[in-house]
Amino acid sequence: MSRVQTGLETLVTEFPEKIRGARIGVVCHPASVDAELRHALDLLSAAGANIAAIFGPEHGARGEAQDMERVDDLSLDPRLKVPVYSLYGATFASLTPHRNYLRGLDALVIDLQDVGARYYTFIWTMALCMRAAGKIGVRVLVCDRPNPLDGVTTEGNLIKPGFESFVGLDPLPNRHGLTIGEIARYLQSRRGVECELEVLPMRGWRREMVFEETGLPWVYPSPNMPTVDTALVYPGLCLVEATELSEGRGTCKPFEVAGAPGVDPEALAAALTERNLTGCRFRPLYFRPLFQKHAGKTCGGVQIHVTDRRKFDSVMTGLTFLQCVKQVTPEAFAWRAKPYEFVDEIPAIDLLAGDDQLRLTLDAAGDLAELAERWLQERIVFETVRQEAFLY
């Protein structure tokens, strides 16, 4: 099987003149590697770039921080001896690189592995970096990488005005079916993000590809995204973050297992099975998270086993999971009331869902099929816009 060549590899092998001798900043994380697991910082340096600054997204440039955990600036990278700036601090303003950190750079290279879901914050870090760089005339080079879920399928709905946040700054479906480079193009052409942008394309990637078909190694881009299987269920099961149920953080199977103390696993699995969701099965289980929600407590819940990824609808599975918990064990269910991603005046579920319709539907025991049909119509309208951004 021939493998896909990432945009990083395209940059350093085909177009090294774009960075040779240039003072660059690099937005990267542990998954910013080539097929031989060589990191972008090493490859860019070897290609002749003068790396003057490193920028780390949520979880940090080294990837050790948990979700929504503040990351402070490092004084210097221990190997390259250049400043390391955090793009995930204590305030929303910290998500944007300060102009003083960008001043003097010839280019900002962005190489981040996305997972194909709107809430995954790396795409919004890219958006904010593009805006900041554009304001002071620093060109932006985005190294494209595969959407691990494929570039065909979309799920869910679009963010509505008034519900923008760091888990959705612009209208994209929950599962968007775009590469990070294509999102950069969409942000520039449709969302008014002005900067001198160049997307370094992949070679050999096709839209129908899932990650296992790329021939590339999976390096987990954040602590709770250990496998491609995690990424597959994430577009729907991330919604559990907006409740007091455990989404499996603190276990070996985050997002693949979910539940809470007091939930009857057998009853929940039976209720989910009755819904006849395609492409998956539900196994009742008990689990005990080591950290985050319900740490040290035994939770009842289910594990989602995907049996056919082409038929599996992660978002509908997530919605149905929430509805079934509310029906089977209503006393275990509660919406998250604490601030979420720097927002405290809008419920977390509304930020993740893009508006208040999911919350209102679930609270009223409404029909998820009707909601899903409205969302489908939104995606149909959006499809033309999506295709304008295609590179492949």
Side-chain angles (χ1 to χ4, degrees):
M1 177 181 71
S2 60
R3 73 166 180 85
V4 169
Q5 178 176 292
T6 67
L8 171 65
E9 294 170 284
T10 301
L11 176 59
V12 299
T13 60
E14 297 183 33
F15 305 109
E17 69 277 3
K18 296 181 183 297
I19 55 171
R20 187 179 296 125
R23 279 178 56 85
I24 67 170
V26 184
V27 185
C28 60
H29 58 185
S32 305
V33 298
D34 71 356
E36 303 301 320
L37 299 176
R38 295 173 295 190
H39 196 270
L41 295 173
D42 299 313
L43 294 172
L44 295 168
S45 293
N50 175 14
I51 297 177
I54 300 168
F55 298 90
E58 184 177 6
H59 312 291
R62 300 182 301 189
E64 73 271 32
Q66 287 293 326
D67 67 303
M68 291 186 278
E69 180 181 328
R70 169 180 174 173
V71 179
D72 295 323
D73 294 338
L74 292 176
S75 55
L76 291 175
D77 177 82
R79 289 196 304 117
L80 299 181
K81 308 303 181 185
V82 300
V84 181
Y85 301 114
S86 170
L87 298 181
Y88 198 87
T91 65
F92 186 84
S94 72
L95 307 177
T96 298
H98 195 281
R99 63 188 301 120
N100 290 341
Y101 301 162
L102 296 173
R103 189 174 285 116
L105 298 180
D106 299 310
L108 185 65
V109 177
I110 301 174
D111 185 31
L112 298 169
Q113 176 63 59
D114 181 43
V115 300
R118 178 180 71 214
Y119 345 101
Y120 209 59
T121 60
F122 298 150
I123 58 176
W124 307 121
T125 292
M126 175 183 70
L128 295 171
C129 285
M130 288 170 61
R131 290 186 188 277
K135 289 179 179 178
I136 62 171
V138 174
R139 62 191 173 103
V140 177
L141 304 177
V142 174
C143 298
D144 211 4
R145 286 185 174 270
N147 183 321
L149 306 183
D150 73 37
V152 177
T153 310
T154 61
E155 297 173 10
N157 65 327
L158 275 63
I159 293 282
K160 307 303 187 301
F163 292 90
E164 297 90 351
S165 74
F166 197 46
V167 287
L169 288 174
D170 291 277
L172 287 176
N174 306 50
R175 177 175 172 179
H176 49 68
L178 295 167
T179 69
I180 191 168
E182 290 173 338
I183 291 174
R185 286 162 52 87
Y186 159 72
L187 292 170
Q188 186 172 70
S189 65
R190 283 283 185 158
R191 302 303 300 169
V193 177
E194 296 182 4
C195 68
E196 182 183 346
L197 171 70
E198 183 172 359
V199 177
L200 282 302
M202 295 178 282
R203 305 298 187 203
W205 188 76
R206 301 185 307 278
R207 303 210 71 83
E208 69 275 11
M209 275 185 168
V210 296
F211 194 83
E212 294 89 336
E213 296 169 330
T214 66
L216 296 169
W218 178 259
V219 175
Y220 58 91
S222 60
N224 288 285
M225 198 60 61
T227 69
V228 179
D229 289 339
T230 319
L232 183 60
V233 301
Y234 179 77
L237 273 294
C238 181
L239 295 169
V240 181
E241 283 190 12
T243 73
E244 292 303 324
L245 305 170
S246 168
E247 65 274 14
R249 292 182 190 273
T251 76
C252 296
K253 292 286 185 180
F255 304 105
E256 293 181 67
V257 304
V263 171
D264 182 339
E266 299 288 345
L268 178 58
L272 284 162
T273 300
E274 287 176 3
R275 299 299 187 93
N276 294 315
L277 296 168
T278 59
C280 63
R281 299 180 67 179
F282 302 94
R283 181 177 67 87
L285 85 163
Y286 290 96
F287 62 95
R288 186 177 298 161
L290 294 178
F291 55 85
Q292 295 209 359
K293 286 184 281 186
H294 308 301
K297 298 179 181 178
T298 298
C299 299
V302 295
Q303 180 177 352
I304 301 166
H305 292 261
V306 177
T307 56
D308 187 336
R309 65 182 303 159
R310 299 294 185 187
K311 295 180 179 179
F312 176 63
D313 187 321
S314 177
V315 171
M316 181 53 65
T317 301
L319 306 188
T320 305
F321 172 83
L322 295 178
Q323 189 172 68
C324 285
V325 173
K326 284 177 71 72
Q327 292 174 348
V328 170
T329 320
E331 64 275 14
F333 190 96
W335 295 114
R336 177 190 174 109
K338 300 186 292 293
Y340 185 76
E341 291 292 4
F342 309 99
V343 177
D344 57 10
E345 68 273 15
I346 300 174
I349 187 60
D350 295 359
L351 298 175
L352 283 170
D355 60 25
D356 60 4
Q357 293 305 295
L358 172 58
R359 175 172 54 84
L360 295 176
T361 298
L362 288 173
D363 284 348
D367 188 345
L368 290 180
E370 291 182 5
L371 187 66
E373 178 58 31
R374 295 202 300 270
W375 288 2
L376 174 60
Q377 297 308 313
E378 289 183 24
R379 298 200 308 278
I380 289 173
V381 173
F382 182 72
E383 187 60 26
T384 299
V385 176
R386 193 175 80 94
Q387 291 185 20
E388 290 175 0
F390 283 3
L391 284 165
Y392 314 94

